[in-house]
Structures are given as structure tokens and as C-alpha cells.
């Protein structure tokens, strides 16, 4: 009889879990979907991260990594389930798992919850709250800013998610490592997104926690730009020293703390704006396959995965403030159709130069501006600002266009624009495939005046999300990067090794 009761209770739990998990995949238009395979496969979790000096580019599946079939179950030390909260294009639902939502451990007759179980329970509440907001009619009140308009995929879901982040999100920054490679980064350069984020998160008191057991995510505070400067052997054409440094660092923190091995890095993140950010992550299979990678170089042809990785904006800070960079005239005072100035390098820009350098007075393309011509004055007199990819897909010209009220024209292939999980880029920018560069003028002139005015007005509205502030302000670029990481963490459920189920 006792066995029969146990079977009945277990069956009821399975039904409840099926109902709960099946509802998680239904948020449309705001999140990016992750749909794991229905197959369940177990893998051994090593005591520490295995060392690997080989790039995963050499094989389809890196050693000791887990594939789509493995994402539902990781044996012994950890369990990762892709919850599927983020749902942008896919309509598929998450396959249910045969586990209770929050596992209860009985000790001495009383129920005790681990720190991780408490974290997951709170994340579950946040998911439910966001889903409720996405389908509800009520608008959250906010003294600073209420996101509205078609610039957002789902403004109510975004706002509720942002408020949940402010209330609950905690980041643990590993303190191991020495400057200038760790805990330090460039703050006045094209790679400033690296240095400013490291600086701001380390001094932050709202989101940073010193108690690792209370954190939802764990930050690996190395700067790829500084690795390139201080560790890379110039003219060696070898990533070896950089990769070895990262491997040694992960080996250190995975031996000292349980969190990397517990989730196989699924709740860890790195942030890099240097072009070599993706390649650096290839040093460790789990870092590339499982961890959240916040990258300027968000190139899907180089294994950027929008479902778990984060695209961050490339911002060229000349000074540690943007006062002189922000602002521009009204549309009626922008006589030039389109403008670009920059080096002729990479696979995309030569195409732009071939078709538009000195070809048309309405589209000014320059490799270098005359000394008496201001770059920012040209941005401010242009309706559209061309943002072709350079050596890599990202370009600071996107943010420069937004700062000056110029409608950005994204010319690239395989690029995921920043904050695409929240922002609908098609509502305030023009996306031109490289193959359509010869038709650029026809495309831009084909946009009606009314449509241009609407896009330009929306650029001004979303500008706050790309503005750098020190100290950070709500909804600015620092908080938007954090929010994108928060979304990826919401999309992952981590369960510790289970004890006996009563």
C-alpha cells in the first residue's frame, strides 16, 4: 500500500511538471526560443574543467561538451534544463522532464531547501510574472521610464522583466586574477564596452553579491583586449598563450568553487568586445558551448548562438563620457541622404567602396575625411548613416549613428544586433544584405518620408539603451547588457544532484 501511494504521488508530480514546463514555451515576440531535443542523455561531469589546447573548430562536437541531446540531463553533479522562456520565432514547446519543479529534501522530518533550489524558485516566480505581463493589459508604473512603442518586441514583458531583474538579479564576480588582464580593461577606446562593464560591475552594490551561494550568474572578469595586449606574442599568429591563460583561470576557479562544474558553465558568463573574443572562448569547450558569451563580435557564422549568447554594442569612447557625442538636428536639417567614413578593410567595406566611393553626391563615402571636416558634423547632417562591417561584423558606427539621431543602415551578413531579444531593429534601422549594396540608393530613396521620420523618431527613443553613464542610469547600456544576461539565465534551469524522493 505504501508503494502504491508513492507511485500515485510521483505520477501527480509528473503531471504538474508537464503542465508547468509546457506553458514556458509560449512567450512570443520578446524572447529567443531554446528547444532541446526530446532525447535524454547523461554525461559524466568531471571534477574540474578538462584542459584543452585544441580549438573546437577542429571537430563538430568538442570533447567533454554536451550537445542538444544532453541538455535535459547532466548526471551526478548537475542538471541543466533549457526552460524555453525566450521565444521569438519558434512555436515549439519544451519537452517535459520527469522531475519536480523544486526538489524537497527531508532532514529530521522538516523540509530543507538548498540555496540553488531557492534561487530557482525565485527565477520561476520571475518567469511567471514576465509571462503574465506579456499577455496582460496592465502597464507597470515607473518613475523614470515606461517602455512603449513598436521599437520593442513586447514592451510590457520587457518592462516587467527589467523590474524583476532590478529586484532579484545577483552577479558573483570571481575575485581571483590580477590586473591588468583581470578586473581591468580599456575604458577609452573602441573596446570600451569591455573595460567599462568590468569597472561598473565590480563597484556595483545593487547587482553584485559577495556571497557566491546567492548568485544566479558568475562573471569571469578577464579582458580579451588586455589578453591580446599583455599575453599575446606579437607577430606569432598564435592564440596559444591567450587560451592557456583562460584555461588556467577556469581550472583555478573550478577547483576552488563548485559552481562551474555544477552547471558545466551554463550560469557563467564572459564579456568581450575585442574581435578575438569568440576565439578566446574556444579554448574551453564548456565556455563556448554552454556559458553565456556577451560579445561585440556577434557573428552567427562564427558560432555565436543568439539563444544563449548576448550581443553587446561596440562603443568608441574617446573620453569617459558621451556628452559631446549625443544629440543632433531635426530631420529637416539633414540634407545628405547617406554617409560613411572609415577604413577600407574586411569583406564588406570593399564592396561599399567599389560601388559608392566618389560615385554619387547624395551618398558620401570616405576612407579618410579632409582635416577641416568633422566626423560628427557629417553624422549630424545625414539622414542615414552607413554601418558596414569591418574586419568583424560589429561596428561602433551603429552607436555613433544612434547617438546623433541618424538612422543606422546595417550592412552585414550573419550579424545579430545588440539587444535583439528586446528591440525590433527593423522598426528604427535599415538592414541591407551585402549583396544589395549596389542598390543602396534605390533602397534608401524607396523609403517614404513618413517612414523615415518614424524611424528617426524611434532612434531618439531607444537611444537611452545605448548611452554610457558613470555611474550607470536605469535602462542605459550597462543595465541593458545585464538584462540580456538576466534573460539568458532565466532560460536555464539548474538542479543539483538529487537525493531520495519520498
Amino acid at each position: 500500500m505504501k508503494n502504491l501511494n508513492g507511485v500515485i504521488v510521483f505520477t501527480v508530480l509528473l503531471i504538474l511538471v508537464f503542465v508547468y514546463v509546457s506553458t514556458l514555451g509560449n512567450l512570443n515576440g520578446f524572447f529567443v526560443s531554446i528547444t532541446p531535443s526530446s532525447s535524454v542523455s547523461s554525461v559524466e561531469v568531471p571534477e574540474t574543467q578538462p584542459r584543452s589546447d585544441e580549438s573546437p573548430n577542429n571537430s563538430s562536437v568538442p570533447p567533454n561538451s554536451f550537445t542538444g541531446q544532453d541538455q535535459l540531463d547532466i548526471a551526478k553533479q548537475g542538471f541543466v534544463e533549457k526552460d524555453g522562456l525566450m521565444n521569438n520565432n519558434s512555436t515549439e514547446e519544451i519537452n517535459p522532464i520527469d522531475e519536480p519543479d523544486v526538489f524537497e529534501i527531508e532532514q529530521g522530518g522538516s523540509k530543507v531547501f538548498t540555496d540553488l533550489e531557492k534561487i530557482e524558485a525565485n527565477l520561476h516566480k520571475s518567469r511567471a510574472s514576465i509571462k503574465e505581463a506579456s499577455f496582460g493589459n496592465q502597464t507597470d508604473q515607473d518613475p523614470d521610464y515606461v517602455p512603449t512603442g513598436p521599437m520593442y518586441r513586447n514592451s510590457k514583458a520587457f518592462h516587467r522583466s527589467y523590474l524583476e531583474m532590478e529586484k532579484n538579479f545577483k552577479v558573483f564576480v570571481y575575485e581571483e586574477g590580477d590586473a591588468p588582464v583581470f578586473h581591468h580593461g580599456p575604458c577609452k577606446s573602441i573596446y570600451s564596452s569591455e573595460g567599462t562593464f568590468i569597472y561598473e560591475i565590480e563597484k556595483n552594490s545593487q547587482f553584485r553579491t559577495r556571497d557566491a551561494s546567492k548568485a544566479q550568474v558568475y562573471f569571469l572578469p578577464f579582458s580579451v583586449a588586455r589578453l591580446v595586449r599583455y599575453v599575446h606574442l606579437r607577430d606569432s599568429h598564435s592564440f596559444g598563450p591567450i587560451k592557456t591563460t583562460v584555461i588556467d583561470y577556469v581550472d583555478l576557479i573550478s577547483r576552488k568553487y563548485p559552481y562551474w562544474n555544477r552547471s558545466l558553465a551554463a550560469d557563467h558568463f564572459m564579456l568581450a568586445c575585442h574581435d578575438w573574443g569568440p576565439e578566446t572562448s574556444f579554448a574551453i569547450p564548456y565556455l563556448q558551448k554552454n556559458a553565456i558569451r556577451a560579445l561585440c563580435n556577434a557573428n552567427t557564422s562564427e558560432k555565436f548562438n543568439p539563444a544563449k549568447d548576448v550581443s553587446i554594442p561596440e562603443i568608441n569612447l574617446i573620453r569617459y563620457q558621451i556628452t559631446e557625442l549625443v544629440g543632433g538636428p531635426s530631420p529637416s536639417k539633414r540634407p545628405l541622404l547617406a554617409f560613411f567614413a572609415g577604413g577600407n578593410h574586411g569583406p564588406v567595406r570593399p564592396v561599399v567602396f567599389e560601388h559608392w566611393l566618389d560615385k554619387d553626391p547624395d551618398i558620401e563615402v570616405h576612407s579618410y575625411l579632409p582635416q577641416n571636416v568633422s566626423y560628427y558634423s557629417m553624422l549630424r547632417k545625414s539622414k542615414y548613416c552607413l554601418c558596414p562591417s569591418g574586419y568583424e561584423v560589429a561596428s561602433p558606427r551603429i552607436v555613433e549613428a544612434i547617438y546623433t539621431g541618424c538612422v543606422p543602415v546595417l550592412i552585414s551578413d550573419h550579424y545579430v544586433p545588440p539587444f535583439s531579444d528586446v528591440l525590433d531593429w527593423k522598426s528604427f534601422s535599415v538592414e541591407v544584405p551585402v549583396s544589395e549594396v549596389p542598390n543602396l540608393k534605390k533602397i534608401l530613396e524607396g523609403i517614404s518620408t513618413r517612414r523615415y521620420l518614424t524611424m528617426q523618431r524611434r532612434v531618439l527613443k531607444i537611444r537611452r539603451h545605448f548611452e554610457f553613464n558613470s555611474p550607470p542610469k536605469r535602462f542605459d547600456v550597462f543595465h541593458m547588457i545585464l538584462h540580456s544576461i538576466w534573460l539568458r539565465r532565466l532560460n536555464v534551469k539548474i538542479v543539483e544532484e538529487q537525493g531520495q524522493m519520498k
Side-chain angles (χ1 to χ4, degrees):
M1 189 68 172
K2 192 175 293 185
N3 291 336
L4 179 61
N5 289 337
V7 171
I8 294 173
V9 171
F10 186 69
T11 303
V12 171
L13 284 172
L14 289 182
I15 295 172
L16 291 175
V17 171
F18 179 85
V19 173
Y20 158 62
V21 179
S22 295
T23 59
L24 285 177
N26 296 325
L27 280 184
N28 294 312
F30 174 40
F31 301 108
V32 180
S33 138
I34 301 178
T35 306
S37 168
S38 58
S39 302
V40 177
S41 175
S42 297
V43 297
E44 295 290 331
V45 181
E47 294 182 1
T48 59
Q49 169 62 42
R51 298 174 65 91
S52 172
D53 295 325
E54 295 183 2
S55 170
N57 287 331
N58 297 329
S59 62
S60 59
V61 180
N64 298 304
S65 68
F66 64 91
T67 64
Q69 291 187 335
D70 303 317
Q71 289 175 349
L72 286 179
D73 194 359
I74 298 176
K76 292 192 175 181
Q77 292 190 18
F79 176 96
V80 176
E81 174 214 343
K82 296 297 184 180
D83 257 330
L85 178 65
M86 298 194 295
N87 187 357
N88 184 16
N89 298 316
S90 175
T91 59
E92 296 180 344
E93 293 186 351
I94 296 301
N95 298 299
I97 57 172
D98 295 339
E99 306 290 348
D101 180 40
V102 178
F103 185 73
E104 300 174 355
I105 303 174
E106 293 191 9
Q107 295 182 354
S110 61
K111 297 178 180 178
V112 178
F113 296 91
T114 66
D115 289 328
L116 178 59
E117 288 166 341
K118 293 175 184 177
I119 288 173
E120 291 297 337
N122 286 330
L123 291 173
H124 168 55
K125 292 178 182 178
S126 293
R127 294 185 192 104
S129 177
I130 296 167
K131 181 176 180 181
E132 178 186 35
S134 68
F135 293 110
N137 295 321
Q138 184 176 357
T139 302
D140 290 312
Q141 300 300 311
D142 198 302
D144 295 325
Y145 180 67
V146 176
T148 58
M151 306 87 68
Y152 301 99
R153 295 185 179 277
N154 188 320
S155 59
K156 292 179 181 178
F158 166 49
H159 195 198
R160 180 66 61 83
S161 177
Y162 187 92
L163 296 177
E164 288 289 327
M165 177 192 73
E166 288 185 317
K167 182 171 62 175
N168 296 314
F169 198 32
K170 295 300 177 185
V171 178
F172 180 77
V173 181
Y174 287 111
E175 296 184 358
E176 288 71 22
D178 298 321
V181 171
F182 298 90
H183 309 285
H184 205 271
C187 294
K188 298 178 183 179
S189 77
I190 198 172
Y191 308 125
S192 64
S193 292
E194 262 186 44
T196 56
F197 182 87
I198 293 172
Y199 175 76
E200 296 296 347
I201 193 62
E202 295 224 351
K203 72 174 187 176
N204 186 277
S205 60
Q206 178 181 4
F207 297 104
R208 183 181 182 182
T209 177
R210 304 280 180 169
D211 185 348
S213 67
K214 299 297 189 293
Q216 289 105 345
V217 296
Y218 302 84
F219 180 43
L220 304 170
F222 58 81
S223 165
V224 174
R226 291 300 169 91
L227 283 168
V228 173
R229 180 175 178 180
Y230 293 105
V231 177
H232 173 65
L233 300 178
R234 187 180 296 274
D235 300 325
S236 67
H237 306 290
S238 172
F239 284 94
I242 291 177
K243 290 184 175 181
T244 298
T245 302
V246 175
I247 290 170
D248 288 344
Y249 187 76
V250 171
D251 184 68
L252 171 66
I253 59 100
S254 65
R255 290 179 183 275
K256 186 173 181 178
Y257 304 91
Y259 309 108
W260 176 276
N261 290 326
R262 182 180 70 180
S263 69
L264 295 183
D267 54 359
H268 285 60
F269 76 97
M270 61 168 283
L271 184 142
C273 208
H274 195 280
D275 294 348
W276 292 2
E279 185 68 28
T280 300
S281 73
F282 297 160
I284 302 174
Y286 295 155
L287 183 58
Q288 183 257 313
K289 295 282 288 186
N290 305 346
I292 302 165
R293 300 179 303 158
L295 304 171
C296 286
N297 187 15
N299 188 340
T300 57
S301 71
E302 297 180 1
K303 300 187 178 182
F304 180 88
N305 179 2
K308 76 166 190 68
D309 296 328
V310 171
S311 175
I312 63 175
E314 193 168 289
I315 304 175
N316 188 10
L317 284 182
I318 301 174
R319 303 177 182 86
Y320 202 66
Q321 49 85 27
I322 61 170
T323 305
E324 299 176 4
L325 309 181
V326 175
S330 64
S332 62
K333 297 179 181 179
R334 295 175 178 267
L336 188 61
L337 178 64
F339 164 73
F340 170 76
N344 185 8
H345 53 70
V348 177
R349 293 185 185 178
V351 181
V352 175
F353 277 80
E354 176 187 354
H355 290 279
W356 298 107
L357 178 63
D358 299 326
K359 298 291 176 65
D360 194 306
D362 294 330
I363 298 181
E364 289 200 24
V365 173
H366 304 265
S367 55
Y368 298 98
L369 286 172
Q371 290 186 350
N372 60 341
V373 177
S374 164
Y375 175 69
Y376 275 89
S377 69
M378 292 298 295
L379 293 176
R380 291 184 172 100
K381 68 183 291 188
S382 304
K383 291 181 173 65
Y384 298 95
C385 290
L386 308 184
C387 307
S389 297
Y391 287 119
E392 299 294 345
V393 292
S395 170
R397 283 156 185 79
I398 297 173
V399 173
E400 292 165 353
I402 292 173
Y403 279 2
T404 55
C406 184
V407 175
V409 180
L410 279 57
I411 306 175
S412 64
D413 293 327
H414 314 296
Y415 178 52
V416 179
F419 316 135
S420 294
D421 41 20
V422 168
L423 299 177
D424 183 359
W425 279 79
K426 291 183 179 180
S427 72
F428 59 87
S429 69
V430 181
E431 297 179 0
V432 177
V434 178
S435 61
E436 290 296 315
V437 167
N439 301 318
L440 186 58
K441 185 174 184 180
K442 182 179 179 180
I443 292 171
L444 297 181
E445 289 187 331
I447 299 172
S448 67
T449 300
R450 180 177 181 179
R451 174 63 179 166
Y452 160 71
L453 293 174
T454 299
M455 287 193 294
Q456 201 270 344
R457 184 169 61 251
R458 291 171 180 171
V459 166
L460 301 181
K461 288 184 178 180
I462 58 92
R463 184 165 64 194
R464 69 173 63 235
H465 300 317
F466 295 85
E467 291 180 353
F468 165 77
N469 299 291
S470 186
K473 298 179 181 179
R474 298 181 70 222
F475 296 99
D476 69 0
V477 69
F478 172 77
H479 289 93
M480 290 297 289
I481 292 173
L482 270 182
H483 181 260
S484 291
I485 296 167
W486 157 254
L487 287 184
R488 274 48 179 196
R489 181 59 179 90
L490 282 175
N491 210 40
V492 175
K493 182 178 178 182
I494 302 169
V495 181
E496 291 173 309
E497 180 184 6
Q498 299 196 358
Q500 296 179 353
M501 182 158 58
K502 301 291 184 178

